[in-house]
Amino acid sequence: MTRVWKWNRPVTVREVLEDLQQERSIAYTTVMTVLDNLHQKGWVRREAEGRAYRYEAVSTRAAYAAALMNDAWSQSDNPAAALVAFFGMMSQEQRQALRDAVRIAQGPETPEPPQETSETPDRPVENPAAAQDDSGR
């Protein structure tokens, strides 16, 4: 999946093979089998191109990671404790990324509208009845 996500476009077995062979020796049939297995599991979709297929990731790497985290978290009998333990494992950079993500997920902050009060910040109204308008409200 790393190689498919790397290009962020449909890839052939040959392209993945050539990329992997820069690091190690691997057979064409091995890459073809792995991509076929990923297709059967629903992680990639494929489209015929001549006698070969082009494979494309069904979801992004980030969405996949999020699904894994959600699955693990949902299996906890104490989700709050699981989160606390997870946060405890995070590096300072990861914690900052988490804060940034929470800020993004919450969306832009909108200031609360000012509330009408019968007081001014400097001086409270001593006689609330005198602050009413002529209609008695």
Side-chain angles (χ1 to χ4, degrees):
M1 282 306 301
T2 298
R3 305 301 167 141
V4 177
W5 282 320
K6 175 182 169 182
W7 283 300
N8 197 28
R9 64 168 174 78
V11 296
T12 64
V13 171
R14 175 81 46 208
E15 290 173 315
V16 175
L17 173 72
E18 290 172 359
D19 191 41
L20 287 169
Q21 284 180 333
Q22 292 177 16
E23 298 171 15
R24 60 189 164 117
S25 179
I26 189 167
Y28 181 93
T29 53
T30 301
V31 176
M32 184 175 62
T33 299
V34 169
L35 285 169
D36 185 58
N37 288 342
L38 291 171
H39 175 257
Q40 289 179 23
K41 291 180 179 184
W43 291 20
V44 295
R45 61 177 146 289
R46 68 183 181 193
E47 190 172 315
E49 184 176 281
R51 294 177 47 199
Y53 288 106
R54 282 207 172 266
Y55 294 87
E56 183 176 22
V58 170
S59 68
T60 65
R61 185 178 212 145
Y64 174 71
L68 285 176
M69 289 187 289
N70 186 56
D71 185 50
W73 187 42
S74 68
Q75 293 185 32
S76 172
D77 61 346
N78 187 340
L83 281 175
V84 169
F86 179 63
F87 298 156
M89 296 177 192
M90 297 173 102
S91 68
Q92 194 60 31
E93 292 80 22
Q94 290 170 320
R95 286 190 192 111
Q96 184 58 52
L98 177 62
R99 283 189 284 276
D100 293 343
V102 168
R103 207 173 302 117
I104 290 167
Q106 288 176 337
E109 291 187 28
T110 54
E112 292 185 27
Q115 295 181 356
E116 293 183 30
T117 64
S118 59
E119 300 178 357
T120 63
D122 297 334
R123 189 174 45 123
V125 174
E126 293 180 22
N127 183 356
Q132 294 177 347
D133 65 18
D134 291 341
S135 65
R137 288 184 270 165

